Amino acid sequence: MSQGKEMHLGNFLLSRLAELGAKTIQGVPGDYNMGFLDQIEDHPQVRWCGNANELNAAYSADGYARTAFPGHNGLDKTTTTGRGKVGVVVTTFGVGELSALNGIAGCFAERLPVVHIVGTPSTSAQGDHALLHHTLGDGRFDAFEEMSRKISIASVRLGDFKDDATGAVTAIDRALTVGFRQARPIYISLPTDLVNMTVPASSLEKKLSLDEEADDADAGKACLEEVVSRIKRAKDPIILVDACTIRHGCLQEAHQLVNESGLPVFSTPMGKGAIDETHPQFGGIYVGTNTEPAIKELVESSDLIISLGALLSDFNTANFSYRTPRSNTIEFHSTRVMVGHATYQGVSMKNILPRVTSAISGDLSKRLAETKKQLNKYENRLPSREEEGENAGPDGQAISQEWLWPRIGQFLKPSDQIIAETGTSAFGSLAIRLPGSKIPSFHAQILWGSIGWSVGACLGISLASREENLGRVMLFVGDGSLQLTVQEISTMVREGLTPILFVLSNEGYEIERKIHGPQRSYNNVATWDHEKLLESFADPLRDSSVGGDRQNFKESHEHDIKPSETKYYAVKTKKQLEDLLNDEAFNKADKLQLVEIYMRRGDAPKALLGQAKTTQASNRY
Amino acid sequence: MSQGKEMHLGNFLLSRLAELGAKTIQGVPGDYNMGFLDQIEDHPQVRWCGNANELNAAYSADGYARTAFPGHNGLDKTTTTGRGKVGVVVTTFGVGELSALNGIAGCFAERLPVVHIVGTPSTSAQGDHALLHHTLGDGRFDAFEEMSRKISIASVRLGDFKDDATGAVTAIDRALTVGFRQARPIYISLPTDLVNMTVPASSLEKKLSLDEEADDADAGKACLEEVVSRIKRAKDPIILVDACTIRHGCLQEAHQLVNESGLPVFSTPMGKGAIDETHPQFGGIYVGTNTEPAIKELVESSDLIISLGALLSDFNTANFSYRTPRSNTIEFHSTRVMVGHATYQGVSMKNILPRVTSAISGDLSKRLAETKKQLNKYENRLPSREEEGENAGPDGQAISQEWLWPRIGQFLKPSDQIIAETGTSAFGSLAIRLPGSKIPSFHAQILWGSIGWSVGACLGISLASREENLGRVMLFVGDGSLQLTVQEISTMVREGLTPILFVLSNEGYEIERKIHGPQRSYNNVATWDHEKLLESFADPLRDSSVGGDRQNFKESHEHDIKPSETKYYAVKTKKQLEDLLNDEAFNKADKLQLVEIYMRRGDAPKALLGQAKTTQASNRY
């Protein structure tokens, strides 16, 4: 122990989380985690944001970890890591942690570094296999950790290090490093009696080692030669950017490749937002058979697809319908590169892309001229009355899916953060041409696809956006999905956050209706009055008239943030939406605003109709 | 296949669930379960109740399975099984099922037979390890089932029986039987392509075999002799009834023992409601050191504790503080009996209790006379002004915990169903003397203790109560716990249910404050306007003004139940609560009524204060 100085284990962990960008820590108090919550409230670098429930907390941590901002994610001021923030969620043993699992599993699937810290009974109670509350009643104290292991990249039981401070510190550092490097969730269980265990203060002296590991030199050289030769030989290569480009902090490298190659660039749904959509080389979104015909033709006729960070899930590819042969594809991944049918292990996208870029940049002007000839201008074009069809209603004033999304696209400003719920929102918003933005600003859970996710994620993205001075935050969610996680709107109000919540009201689970059972009762939901709902969450802090412990009340609210004002708008016609989107006060987004957009039951974005058809076929009953 | 008749596998499963008492099946639609939901909507014996989210659905299934009623649970018309209904929750693969796990784990801990059916991708998609939405993206299709295995007593992957109809039917029957007999959750995964697989219709001819298995004859005989001899020798034996008496359907046997032995009977917190609390032999609730002194003395001075269905968790025993030596205890369990330090395996409470009863009934009059001398009348006694102290406010009009619970006890009628949330409600309501009731009517999740549970459970208990014509349903929940699962109130409205929801408003998580951090910010919650909240859930069914698919709309709402009317009451003084409880219209409970009771922050029931002290000590930080 250098100089003999000591710190508490809980505080060591918090300092490490702060090192990974966490400024806000979320979760729900429970009787096995409150000693750690004391440390969070008292720590100089982090603060606590309590959630209404644990699933919402996990979704929020997902959103928080998803947010990209200058200085991270390989943008502008590149950091050593090139990533965003780590999300942190704190729950209590059993009852709390299990409620969070769906949200954590989503982080595993979608590649997000989230740390799940669970307060557990003391090591002695666990050793006795005591029949405690929040247990299964059969003495199994390891069941919950084993469940979480299935959806975590690393797991630390701090109780194993009761008499080994160095071991505890090393285990935490190793897990955090693995989680951050691989962009996956990790699980840490913290028994009550170890929160204040002392560890050497010097443990923090050496920062976590997060730099990209060096490539295998020989493999890197061979791979580079092959990649460059393929690109130089190709007649009309294109670049296709996918999710892991964002998740593994390669945005700057991707933009350099685009800028210095002059090649056309496209995004997948999960990669949407990675590339500035106003970039003159940007050609649109490619989703296999679900792609706009002109874009589809360009991508599929190319003789070389340069694919960055591909994550080829069904909804990201219109059920695996790419018509791009593997022999014509180079795939760059976080730890390997695949050239046609050959794989180069130990070569990372982050290391090799700059070398590729500099090797091919000589062809820039020629390639750029060709790209300009090929690409149509990618715009937010409103549909004609005919294109909208019956969804615009008899007088054309109804808000159709076909019309809504490009209109929203026109409304957006650079750095606005868009969150689109799985369902009509995630499919519809693919049609938005995002404003020229230096940071990825589009968020959807396309692989995991858990309905209700977006409301929690909106909280986390709002918190991160405030911390990093990003733009406005906008949620698009249907009336069905909203119901799963609605109470988290009240946390946004309490935290003084001011996202714009667009609620698409169409009387139920429209995405499910498109897949199965359009006339079935099970796809209906209860109808809510969203105006009153919003008001109910915005009750001013009550000083209960029946008295009570005023000193505690005062102390406990001392550090409260001023809650947001709220405002509700019902929008039933194009004119009403136009007026609202043009309203200056609305545009300021200095209140929490909920815009309920009434839409036609049965209307759905084209992209969803296409996807639903293929999903139906594969879910044959 | 007898007569060559066939049925679909999904329908076979539904008929079996109906055989186990399930009339309502709950859950959330998802794209891998909708074919099965079609069968639910079309099945003659069951109906579908969609929930706002999966955790709430699991809590509701817990409540549904918890409800006891005449004709089951060994009450009045004894059935072969002597149990209540099986709860059923249907979710979709990954995203849906993981959200339900906390609720299912609670059923494991608290011993409730709940069937979790998960719609999964087709067997061919699973065989291909396809990168589908709702997967972890790494081809592991077994991860979620493995997670559920930790909290289930049996698990069936129907995909394993793709070409084996008999195997599928046998596996379902075996799992349902195990789950029902052991009162534990089971897990069934149902791939889309097996929903309509044909199985012989004759599979239903033989009913599930749920009768209690016969005891080991020799062990039973030896045990009986020893038990009877001990009881006969004892000077002042008492009976102590716990949770598993209810869960294993032994209520009738327990009542017979009480009635024919003449002995005093007490309940534990988890056994509260098992014995009619107006019974002249009923002495009150025993919770170790947390017991009222007079009751504590009676129990602990007894020279023989006859314990039925004990579940000795920390909150059920005030941290294991029984002062009753094992040598003076006979414990009856579902599959074994422990007499002092000797265990008789293979002897069940259900089989042996009637034999014990008949062997000792000769001493009835003598024992009864002694019991009457010993017991004080157990009543709902309101506290004096002094006993209430500062919690009654300066004018004595504030509603204190000390006053509230006996006053509620006076208000209750036989067969009313009480649901008490973990927290001040579960601890406070132990002080209620329940009205004379033929059925257990008190529900609290004392072992698992997941906050938010009670709101979901209230839905399930309301559904079961309506099906079996029980009494009014009353929920007691704090403002903090309510926030976790609040949206399920809207399902109650939509289903036309009319529970009375008592919301105890005291500005946060009071139980946590008593354990740790009374002045900490993390124990505060957002303040809500509960009146507007209730109104927001009671929006009349909207026929959207923007048009839409009216034919589908009409068809899909054809079988809707008429939604409940709702009414809100704010109650800040004793007088206001008195007036309300005496109001005839309120007593009818023909609307969904929400009563917000303002209580003093810092006030907590005595039982909670005692528990918090011992919990604090064992959670040393």
Side-chain angles (χ1 to χ4, degrees):
Chain A
M1 262 180 247
S2 71
Q3 303 149 358
K5 280 199 189 151
E6 292 182 333
M7 67 189 305
H8 289 146
L9 182 62
N11 282 320
F12 166 77
L13 175 55
L14 291 172
S15 296
R16 282 303 198 208
L17 295 170
E19 200 180 315
L20 294 174
K23 297 180 185 173
T24 302
I25 293 183
Q26 301 176 75
V28 179
D31 55 344
Y32 299 126
N33 69 24
M34 288 187 285
F36 185 53
L37 300 196
D38 288 350
Q39 294 179 330
I40 295 173
E41 285 198 357
D42 298 339
H43 196 279
Q45 294 169 284
V46 299
R47 61 182 288 274
W48 173 249
C49 165
N51 302 88
N53 68 37
E54 291 87 355
L55 178 58
N56 296 0
Y59 285 155
S60 184
D62 165 320
Y64 190 81
R66 219 174 258 266
T67 315
F69 49 92
H72 276 273
N73 290 71
L75 291 158
D76 296 357
K77 308 172 276 174
T78 313
T79 65
T80 48
T81 69
R83 303 286 178 73
K85 295 161 176 290
V86 76
V88 187
V89 53
V90 179
T91 62
T92 200
F93 187 65
V95 293
E97 59 180 305
L98 296 191
S99 282
L101 292 190
N102 177 12
I104 303 293
C107 296
F108 187 94
E110 300 248 333
R111 314 279 173 102
L112 293 158
V114 162
V115 183
H116 185 192
I117 302 169
V118 180
T120 72
S122 69
T123 49
S124 65
Q126 295 198 43
D128 295 346
H129 298 277
L131 214 163
L132 301 184
H133 66 290
H134 303 343
T135 71
L136 294 167
D138 58 5
R140 284 186 294 145
F141 279 82
D142 54 359
F144 311 132
E145 189 242 342
E146 285 173 7
M147 291 166 78
S148 273
R149 247 179 218 279
K150 304 278 177 195
I151 53 169
S152 309
I153 200 73
S155 189
V156 181
R157 292 192 306 189
L158 286 172
D160 292 347
F161 302 97
K162 191 178 170 165
D163 304 309
D164 179 7
T166 312
V169 159
T170 309
I172 287 173
D173 281 354
R174 190 182 301 129
L176 289 175
T177 307
V178 168
F180 207 71
R181 275 184 190 279
Q182 301 197 26
R184 300 273 203 186
I186 69 167
Y187 177 94
I188 298 177
S189 65
L190 178 54
T192 53
D193 56 329
L194 294 198
V195 169
N196 290 327
M197 170 180 172
T198 52
V199 303
S202 59
S203 311
L204 283 174
E205 278 167 16
K206 191 160 171 253
K207 295 285 163 209
L208 291 171
S209 155
L210 300 168
D211 287 338
E212 194 72 24
E213 285 180 77
D215 284 356
D216 176 308
D218 292 341
K221 187 157 171 287
C223 176
L224 181 67
E225 275 172 21
E226 183 61 17
V227 165
V228 171
S229 140
R230 289 266 194 145
I231 297 177
K232 284 188 173 284
R233 279 197 325 255
K235 203 173 64 49
D236 47 11
I238 62 113
I239 300 168
L240 182 60
V241 181
D242 207 339
C244 288
T245 314
I246 309 174
R247 301 295 194 269
H248 289 281
C250 296
L251 289 167
Q252 195 166 48
E253 291 80 2
H255 273 95
Q256 279 165 349
L257 176 68
V258 170
N259 290 335
E260 297 180 31
S261 70
L263 295 173
V265 59
F266 301 84
S267 294
T268 65
M270 290 185 76
K272 185 173 174 70
I275 297 296
D276 175 356
E277 298 195 350
T278 63
H279 194 290
Q281 289 160 246
F282 184 71
I285 307 292
Y286 179 68
V287 213
T289 52
N290 240 339
T291 312
E292 291 283 322
I295 297 171
K296 186 167 186 289
E297 170 62 22
L298 270 179
V299 172
E300 296 183 356
S301 68
S302 158
D303 64 347
L304 183 66
I305 313 285
I306 302 167
S307 154
L308 309 186
L311 213 169
L312 304 179
S313 79
D314 56 351
F315 280 17
N316 204 27
T317 63
N319 273 35
F320 320 111
S321 62
Y322 277 21
R323 295 287 169 274
T324 55
R326 163 156 303 288
S327 55
N328 286 2
T329 304
I330 303 174
E331 281 189 17
F332 293 91
H333 292 283
S334 58
T335 59
R336 69 184 195 284
V337 178
M338 296 158 80
V339 184
H341 293 276
T343 297
Y344 296 83
Q345 291 289 358
V347 182
S348 81
M349 171 162 60
K350 190 159 185 80
N351 288 334
I352 202 171
L353 276 186
R355 301 169 71 191
V356 172
T357 299
S358 82
I360 64 169
S361 59
D363 296 336
L364 171 62
S365 50
K366 194 187 79 186
R367 293 289 197 190
L368 198 56
E370 281 166 35
T371 297
K372 282 185 180 159
K373 268 190 278 174
Q374 285 185 311
L375 289 185
N376 294 321
K377 196 163 160 54
Y378 192 64
E379 282 180 303
N380 283 305
R381 190 184 65 78
L382 298 179
S384 67
R385 182 76 181 81
E386 287 64 43
E387 286 170 312
E388 283 192 274
E390 64 177 336
N391 294 317
D395 60 358
Q397 267 301 309
I399 296 165
S400 67
Q401 294 277 350
E402 189 78 10
W403 180 86
L404 175 66
W405 301 106
R407 184 62 193 83
I408 292 292
Q410 296 172 351
F411 164 67
L412 297 177
K413 295 179 194 162
S415 296
D416 284 352
Q417 301 289 309
I418 315 305
I419 303 124
E421 175 66 62
T422 300
T424 54
S425 298
F427 284 96
S429 55
L430 295 179
I432 293 177
R433 194 223 56 195
L434 298 168
S437 179
K438 293 258 176 267
I439 54 170
S441 54
F442 178 81
H443 310 280
Q445 206 192 40
I446 290 177
L447 169 54
W448 188 240
S450 182
I451 60 170
W453 159 85
S454 69
V455 183
C458 178
L459 170 63
I461 290 167
S462 298
L463 287 165
S465 293
R466 178 165 67 188
E467 288 168 6
E468 307 301 334
N469 292 309
L470 306 182
R472 302 173 299 183
V473 176
M474 294 180 204
L475 168 67
F476 293 90
V477 60
D479 53 356
S481 296
L482 175 66
Q483 299 197 354
L484 284 93
T485 47
V486 64
Q487 53 271 82
E488 223 50 43
I489 294 175
S490 101
T491 310
M492 299 175 204
V493 173
R494 185 185 178 202
E495 280 280 318
L497 299 167
T498 59
I500 304 176
L501 315 177
F502 290 96
V503 177
L504 280 47
S505 275
N506 53 13
E507 306 166 345
Y509 306 118
E510 197 58 50
I511 182 171
E512 309 292 18
R513 289 197 187 111
K514 290 305 172 216
I515 296 174
H516 196 91
Q519 82 292 9
R520 284 290 184 173
S521 159
Y522 56 68
N523 282 327
N524 296 330
V525 295
T527 47
W528 287 3
D529 180 329
H530 294 99
E531 180 169 19
K532 285 187 179 144
L533 187 76
L534 183 63
E535 288 170 1
S536 75
F537 292 151
D539 199 30
L541 187 63
R542 180 177 49 219
D543 188 354
S544 161
S545 62
V546 299
D549 193 334
R550 291 304 93 189
Q551 186 53 32
N552 279 350
F553 180 87
K554 225 183 112 207
E555 272 178 29
S556 74
H557 285 287
E558 210 165 30
H559 301 289
D560 280 10
I561 288 174
K562 187 167 171 289
S564 320
E565 287 178 58
T566 65
K567 198 158 164 53
Y568 167 87
Y569 310 87
V571 166
K572 298 187 176 181
T573 65
K574 291 192 172 90
K575 169 86 172 50
Q576 287 170 347
L577 187 58
E578 288 282 359
D579 290 348
L580 186 64
L581 298 182
N582 293 326
D583 182 75
E584 203 179 322
F586 177 74
N587 269 274
K588 268 192 201 153
D590 57 0
K591 299 180 175 60
L592 187 148
Q593 303 179 100
L594 191 155
V595 183
E596 180 166 18
I597 304 182
Y598 286 69
M599 302 188 76
R600 184 178 173 276
R601 179 192 169 110
D603 186 9
K606 264 190 221 151
L608 173 53
L609 296 175
Q611 182 63 50
K613 215 175 276 180
T614 57
T615 298
Q616 258 170 33
S618 77
N619 287 356
R620 1 161 247 290
Y621 284 100
Chain B
M1 261 177 249
S2 71
Q3 302 149 356
K5 279 199 190 152
E6 292 181 331
M7 67 190 306
H8 289 146
L9 181 62
N11 282 320
F12 167 77
L13 175 54
L14 291 172
S15 296
R16 282 302 197 208
L17 295 170
E19 200 178 316
L20 294 174
K23 295 180 185 173
T24 302
I25 292 182
Q26 301 175 76
V28 179
D31 56 345
Y32 300 126
N33 69 25
M34 288 189 284
F36 185 53
L37 300 196
D38 288 351
Q39 293 178 331
I40 295 173
E41 285 198 357
D42 298 339
H43 196 280
Q45 293 169 283
V46 299
R47 62 182 288 275
W48 174 248
C49 165
N51 301 87
N53 68 37
E54 291 87 354
L55 178 57
N56 296 0
Y59 285 155
S60 183
D62 165 320
Y64 190 82
R66 218 174 258 268
T67 316
F69 49 92
H72 278 272
N73 290 71
L75 292 157
D76 295 356
K77 307 172 276 174
T78 314
T79 66
T80 48
T81 69
R83 302 287 179 72
K85 294 161 176 289
V86 76
V88 188
V89 53
V90 180
T91 63
T92 200
F93 187 66
V95 292
E97 60 180 305
L98 296 192
S99 283
L101 292 190
N102 177 12
I104 302 292
C107 296
F108 188 93
E110 301 247 332
R111 315 280 173 103
L112 292 158
V114 162
V115 183
H116 186 192
I117 301 168
V118 180
T120 73
S122 69
T123 50
S124 65
Q126 296 199 43
D128 294 347
H129 298 277
L131 213 164
L132 300 185
H133 66 289
H134 304 343
T135 71
L136 295 167
D138 58 5
R140 284 186 294 144
F141 278 83
D142 53 359
F144 311 132
E145 189 242 343
E146 285 172 7
M147 292 165 78
S148 273
R149 247 179 218 278
K150 304 278 177 195
I151 52 168
S152 309
I153 200 73
S155 190
V156 181
R157 293 193 305 189
L158 286 172
D160 292 346
F161 302 97
K162 192 180 169 161
D163 304 308
D164 179 7
T166 312
V169 159
T170 308
I172 288 173
D173 281 354
R174 191 182 300 130
L176 290 175
T177 306
V178 168
F180 207 71
R181 275 182 189 280
Q182 302 197 26
R184 300 273 202 187
I186 68 167
Y187 177 93
I188 299 177
S189 65
L190 178 53
T192 54
D193 56 330
L194 294 198
V195 170
N196 289 327
M197 171 182 173
T198 51
V199 303
S202 58
S203 311
L204 284 174
E205 279 167 14
K206 190 157 171 256
K207 295 287 164 210
L208 291 171
S209 156
L210 302 167
D211 286 339
E212 195 70 24
E213 282 180 80
D215 284 356
D216 176 306
D218 292 341
K221 187 158 171 286
C223 176
L224 180 67
E225 275 172 22
E226 182 62 17
V227 166
V228 170
S229 140
R230 289 264 194 148
I231 297 177
K232 284 188 172 286
R233 279 199 323 256
K235 202 173 64 55
D236 47 11
I238 61 112
I239 301 168
L240 182 60
V241 181
D242 207 340
C244 289
T245 315
I246 309 175
R247 301 295 194 273
H248 288 282
C250 296
L251 290 166
Q252 195 166 47
E253 291 79 3
H255 272 97
Q256 280 164 351
L257 175 68
V258 171
N259 290 335
E260 297 180 32
S261 70
L263 295 173
V265 60
F266 301 85
S267 294
T268 67
M270 290 184 76
K272 185 172 173 69
I275 297 296
D276 175 355
E277 298 194 350
T278 63
H279 194 292
Q281 291 161 245
F282 183 71
I285 307 292
Y286 178 68
V287 212
T289 52
N290 240 339
T291 312
E292 292 282 322
I295 297 171
K296 185 165 186 292
E297 170 61 22
L298 270 180
V299 172
E300 295 182 357
S301 69
S302 158
D303 65 346
L304 185 66
I305 313 285
I306 302 166
S307 155
L308 309 187
L311 212 167
L312 303 179
S313 79
D314 57 350
F315 279 18
N316 203 28
T317 62
N319 272 36
F320 320 113
S321 62
Y322 278 21
R323 296 287 169 272
T324 54
R326 162 157 304 289
S327 54
N328 286 3
T329 304
I330 303 173
E331 281 189 19
F332 293 92
H333 292 283
S334 59
T335 59
R336 69 183 194 285
V337 178
M338 295 158 79
V339 184
H341 292 277
T343 299
Y344 297 83
Q345 291 290 358
V347 181
S348 81
M349 171 163 58
K350 192 162 183 80
N351 288 334
I352 201 172
L353 277 186
R355 300 169 71 190
V356 172
T357 300
S358 83
I360 64 169
S361 58
D363 296 334
L364 170 62
S365 50
K366 193 186 78 180
R367 294 289 197 190
L368 199 54
E370 282 166 34
T371 297
K372 281 183 182 162
K373 270 190 276 173
Q374 286 185 309
L375 288 185
N376 295 320
K377 197 163 158 58
Y378 191 65
E379 282 179 304
N380 283 305
R381 188 185 65 80
L382 298 181
S384 67
R385 182 74 182 79
E386 286 64 42
E387 287 170 312
E388 282 192 275
E390 64 176 335
N391 294 317
D395 60 356
Q397 267 300 308
I399 296 166
S400 68
Q401 294 277 350
E402 190 77 11
W403 180 87
L404 175 66
W405 301 106
R407 183 62 192 85
I408 292 291
Q410 296 172 351
F411 165 67
L412 296 176
K413 295 179 192 161
S415 296
D416 284 351
Q417 301 289 308
I418 316 304
I419 303 124
E421 175 66 62
T422 299
T424 54
S425 298
F427 285 95
S429 55
L430 294 179
I432 294 177
R433 195 223 55 196
L434 298 168
S437 179
K438 292 259 176 264
I439 53 170
S441 52
F442 178 80
H443 310 281
Q445 205 192 40
I446 291 178
L447 168 56
W448 189 239
S450 182
I451 60 170
W453 160 85
S454 69
V455 183
C458 178
L459 170 63
I461 291 168
S462 298
L463 288 166
S465 293
R466 177 165 67 189
E467 287 169 6
E468 306 302 333
N469 293 309
L470 306 183
R472 302 173 301 183
V473 177
M474 295 180 205
L475 169 67
F476 294 90
V477 62
D479 53 356
S481 296
L482 175 66
Q483 298 197 355
L484 284 92
T485 46
V486 63
Q487 52 274 80
E488 224 50 44
I489 294 175
S490 103
T491 310
M492 299 175 203
V493 173
R494 185 184 178 204
E495 279 280 319
L497 299 166
T498 59
I500 303 176
L501 314 178
F502 290 95
V503 176
L504 279 46
S505 275
N506 52 12
E507 306 165 346
Y509 306 119
E510 197 58 51
I511 182 170
E512 309 292 19
R513 290 198 187 109
K514 291 304 173 215
I515 296 175
H516 195 90
Q519 82 293 10
R520 285 288 184 175
S521 159
Y522 56 68
N523 282 327
N524 295 330
V525 297
T527 46
W528 286 4
D529 180 329
H530 294 99
E531 178 168 20
K532 284 187 179 145
L533 186 77
L534 183 63
E535 288 170 2
S536 75
F537 292 151
D539 199 31
L541 187 64
R542 181 176 50 220
D543 188 354
S544 161
S545 62
V546 299
D549 192 333
R550 291 302 96 190
Q551 187 53 33
N552 278 350
F553 180 88
K554 225 182 110 206
E555 273 178 27
S556 73
H557 286 287
E558 209 165 29
H559 302 289
D560 279 10
I561 288 174
K562 189 167 171 288
S564 319
E565 287 178 57
T566 66
K567 198 157 165 56
Y568 167 86
Y569 310 85
V571 167
K572 299 186 177 181
T573 65
K574 292 194 172 89
K575 169 86 172 52
Q576 285 170 347
L577 188 58
E578 288 283 358
D579 289 348
L580 186 64
L581 297 181
N582 293 326
D583 182 75
E584 201 179 325
F586 177 74
N587 268 276
K588 267 192 199 152
D590 58 359
K591 298 181 177 58
L592 187 149
Q593 302 178 102
L594 191 155
V595 183
E596 180 166 16
I597 304 182
Y598 286 69
M599 303 189 77
R600 184 177 172 276
R601 177 191 170 110
D603 186 11
K606 264 190 222 152
L608 173 54
L609 295 176
Q611 181 63 51
K613 215 174 279 180
T614 58
T615 298
Q616 259 171 31
S618 77
N619 287 358
R620 2 160 246 291
Y621 283 100

